[in-house]
Every structure is written in C-alpha cells, then in structure tokens.
C-alpha cells in the first residue's frame, strides 16, 4: 500500500459531467514502486463528480 502523502492528485473534467483524476508522485519521477518507474497515471473510469474522482484516485494509490 502506497502512502497518499507521496502523491499529488489533480482532478479534471473530461467532458461535461465526467470527471477523472491524474495522480503523480511528489518526489522525483525516477522513484520506483514495486520495481516499476512511476511517472504518473490517470484513473480508469469516469466519475459523476469531482469528489468521486478524487476518491477513486485515493483508492488507486492505496492499491499500489
């Protein structure tokens, strides 16, 4: 499980009413998680609200 404080979350509206979140490590991009280089990623599914997108991002980080 990754520490939430090591990541920044940016929510954005993909289309009207559809939100996603971009997750990036706060430290150098050369850091590795489970042997893989982490540059950042976007949540898989569209969410109905900005809050839901942020919650989805936090769940994704915890899965790392």
């Amino acid at each position: 499980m990754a520490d939430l404080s090591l990541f920044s979350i940016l929510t954005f509206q993909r289309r009207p009413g559809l939100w996603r979140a971009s997750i990036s490590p706060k430290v150098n991009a050369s850091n590795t998680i489970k042997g893989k280089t982490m540059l950042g990623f976007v949540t898989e599914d569209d969410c109905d609200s900005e809050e839901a997108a942020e919650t989805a991002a936090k769940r994704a980080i915890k899965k790392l």
Side-chain angles (χ1 to χ4, degrees):
M1 179 195 298
D3 184 3
L4 289 174
S5 66
L6 298 177
F7 294 87
S8 64
I9 299 171
L10 173 70
T11 56
F12 61 95
Q13 193 170 24
R14 223 170 63 81
R15 288 188 293 207
L18 298 177
W19 292 84
R20 288 200 181 181
S22 173
I23 300 122
S24 302
K26 289 183 179 177
V27 293
N28 295 339
S30 62
N31 282 351
T32 58
I33 296 174
K34 290 188 181 179
K36 298 180 181 178
T37 301
M38 173 64 69
L39 299 175
F41 61 97
V42 176
T43 53
E44 292 182 30
D45 300 320
D46 291 324
C47 298
D48 294 334
S49 68
E50 187 174 6
E51 292 82 17
E54 186 170 345
T55 301
K58 290 177 181 178
R59 278 193 310 259
I61 292 169
K62 287 181 181 180
K63 289 182 182 179
L64 294 176

